[in-house]
Each structure stands twice: as C-alpha cells, then as structure tokens.
Amino acid sequence: MKKSECNDMEASARPGSSEVFFETHGAVAIIVLSRVEALNALTHAMCIEIDRRLAAWANDPEIAAVVIRSASDRAFCAGGDVRALYDSGVALKQGRAEGKVAQDFIRDEYRMNRRIKTYRKPYIALIDGVVMGGGVGVSVHGSHRVVTERTVFAMPETAIGLFPDVGGTYVLPRLPRQIGAYLGLSGTRIKAPDLVAFGLATHFVASARFGGLLEALIGADWRGNACDIADKVIQARSEPAGEANLAPHLDDIERCFSHDDVAAILDALDATGTTVTTEAAARIRTMSPTSLKLTLAANRRGRQLAFDDCMVLEYRLIQAVLLYPDFYEGVRALLIDKDRKPKWDPSQLDAIDAAMLDRYFVVPPPGDLTFVD
C-alpha cells in the first residue's frame, strides 16, 4: 500500500498502543502493525492486544471480517521480538522472576496464533514486504493471505538456535513435495509465485492495488456468507503470481528432503549438486545442529497431529530450547555482536543422539500449553 493511502486510512481514531492500532470501518475491523522501526517484530504486549481484540470482534455482530496489515511498505512483520525473549530467557536460566516473561510471551503468542487459525470470520492478511517467523503466525493461519511482488517469506529460526514455530510444525509438513522440510531446515527465502503455488498464500495482488483492495473490502456489502464475499472482492483484484521459482527443482527437493535424518539429507543434496541443492546444503551447514534435528523431528511428528496438538508440541520444545545454549549463541552472533560466527554446542550433528533430543519433548515445568476460547 502506498504511503499516502496508509495515511488516508489512518485518519480515523485508532485505539491501541503505538505498536499496533485497531480500526473499524463499517463491517470491517482492521489491525495495523505499526512498530515500523523494528519491522513490526511482535512484542508480548502486541500479541495480547491482538488476541483480545480478535476475541471481542468474534462476538460482535457488526463485524463481518478482520484485515491485518502493516503501516509500512517495507515489512509486514519480520518476526517476534527475539531480543526480549533472549533477555527473559537469560533471567529464566538464572532463576530470576523476570524469566517468567519468556514463558508468558510464548504462551500468549501461541494462543493468539490458535485464535487466528480457528477464527469464525474471514481473517484477511495483506502481506506486503518481509514476513518471517512470528509474522507468519499472524498471517498464514488466516482464511485469506494476500501477497505482492514485494513479499519475502522465510522461517529462518534454525539460524538462531530455534525451530519454525508459531504453527510451523503444522503448516510446513502439509506443504507439497517436502517443501516444508526444505524451508524449515534451510531458512530459504521465497517470494509470491512460490507462496501462491504451494498454498502459503491464497491470492496475489500488486502492491499498487493494495489501497484499492482495502477500500473495496470496506465498501463491500457484507450481507450473506462473509467468506464468499471476501473471496469475490479479493479475486476481482487479484492476478496470476507467475511461475514458481522452485517448480523446476521440486523433484530434487522432494527426493533429498524425504530422508528422516539431517545427515542423510545433506548427503543427498551434495550428491545432487545443482545450484539449488548446493545452496541449501551450504545454508543448512551454518545452522544449529540441535535446531536442525529438532526441526526435522517436529516436522515429521507435526504432519500427524491436529493444530492444537502441534501448538502444545511447540510450547514444549521452545521451553526446553530456552534452557540450552544454542538460542543465546545464535542471538549473540546474529543480533548482538553481529559477527555471524555462532559456536554451536554441540557443533556436529553426530554428537546429538536420540536421548538428547527426547529431553526437548517432555512436559515443561510450567505445564503444557492450554487454550482459553
């Protein structure tokens, strides 16, 4: 959406914090991510505010649909507030009370993700610019995911000692041709043609037409089936996204990432030797070995689980991740010292056995994640 169009839409009163605003225009409620200087990285407070507002709108007969968008044309949402999670996680390891923030942040974010997934009204994400990590959690679970030529998607968590969460253990395994394992392990960035082709996005609309799309949604006659109305309005302004960049490489990706062992995947990538497989292998070898094994194990489990069970699984994993060194080392190397030279512990895949992985899947001390409707 153009800056002038954003300003026009922002003229009405918008209760909320400076990080996220909420608007209602007739039957359409709008969430505006406005933590622009941080690429709309989600804070704990933002997650709580969004979840509370969604709960209220769900029961409001005057609201037919919800739209989420960014106040910036640079990023939709580049993830969660990883530095805040880092600081709280350090406190958690030290036994300080501030450590509870990490547990609360993740719990409330996951509950918000689940509310979006189960929302009874159209939830329309207008995804212009970067969408990564936590930004995927507030978009990909919605009924309508609209991308532009500027959309860049990635789940790069293995680079900081995490794993693709916010519902990633549900979404990624359900993508075709092992694309989910490829994206989750390598953190590869993809754009609109691939997002539409693989089902991560539902529509492509040129960024220059986003303002008109939002106006059309606001001006629509919402009497009738709201999902059908949303489909009709968006489809009228959408166009083909183009051929998926990964389409010619799907056979190689599927063959290599069908293995249930990260080392076997790397061997297959090396043996294939194309540009795509060679680049994927090089990226994977820079990631946390522990995160790689966790990601693949969670991917394989997740394809057999319901969404709620995937979120419970992720809560167990991330509470364990906060107790071990790789997350803190990954954040240090990429976000604090920025030397991009993480020293993973363990540093080799073969040093991580099944017993070491099993400790991540147990019920955490705070107990399992529960949901409140």
Side-chain angles (χ1 to χ4, degrees), residues 231-289:
D231 288 341
K232 182 177 179 180
V233 172
I234 298 170
Q235 189 61 43
R237 286 153 184 83
S238 66
E239 55 192 285
E243 183 179 358
N245 294 323
L246 291 175
H249 309 284
L250 288 178
D251 287 344
D252 290 337
I253 289 172
E254 184 173 30
R255 183 179 64 257
C256 294
F257 286 89
S258 291
H259 295 284
D260 291 329
D261 177 76
V262 178
I265 289 173
L266 285 169
D267 287 343
L269 291 170
D270 291 340
T272 303
T274 67
T275 299
V276 167
T277 60
T278 299
E279 289 178 352
R283 282 192 296 270
I284 289 170
R285 287 190 168 97
T286 69
M287 308 301 191
S288 157

Side-chain angles (χ1 to χ4, degrees), residues 35-194:
R35 195 175 178 229
V36 175
E37 74 287 349
L39 302 181
N40 293 331
L42 297 172
T43 65
H44 187 195
M46 291 170 72
C47 294
I48 291 173
E49 288 188 72
I50 292 169
D51 190 57
R52 286 177 178 170
R53 197 58 61 108
L54 287 173
W57 286 333
N59 296 312
D60 186 343
E62 300 299 317
I63 298 300
V66 175
V67 172
I68 184 168
R69 69 173 184 87
S70 171
S72 165
D73 57 11
R74 183 181 176 192
F76 172 77
C77 176
D81 191 340
V82 173
R83 183 57 192 268
L85 188 62
Y86 172 96
D87 291 339
S88 181
V90 170
L92 180 68
K93 291 179 67 176
Q94 295 172 348
R96 293 188 281 121
E98 298 92 325
K100 190 172 184 297
V101 173
Q103 298 169 342
D104 293 345
F105 186 171
I106 296 301
R107 180 199 64 221
D108 292 333
E109 183 178 18
Y110 287 6
R111 286 177 174 173
M112 174 191 64
N113 298 147
R114 191 253 190 174
R115 190 179 301 280
I116 294 168
K117 174 65 176 175
T118 60
Y119 213 58
R120 300 189 302 273
K121 299 178 180 182
Y123 179 97
I124 304 163
L126 302 183
I127 311 167
D128 194 18
V130 174
V131 55
M132 296 183 182
V136 175
V138 293
S139 57
V140 77
H141 303 309
S143 60
H144 299 76
R145 290 94 61 192
V146 187
V147 293
T148 78
E149 74 280 2
R150 298 188 300 207
T151 305
V152 178
F153 169 104
M155 294 293 277
E157 287 84 355
T158 53
I160 56 169
L162 286 174
F163 61 94
D165 65 330
V166 296
T169 60
Y170 180 86
V171 172
L172 294 180
R174 286 163 174 79
L175 298 182
R177 309 291 298 274
Q178 295 296 328
I179 285 293
Y182 165 71
L183 295 176
L185 292 174
S186 68
T188 298
R189 299 184 177 196
I190 59 174
K191 297 186 177 182
D194 293 287

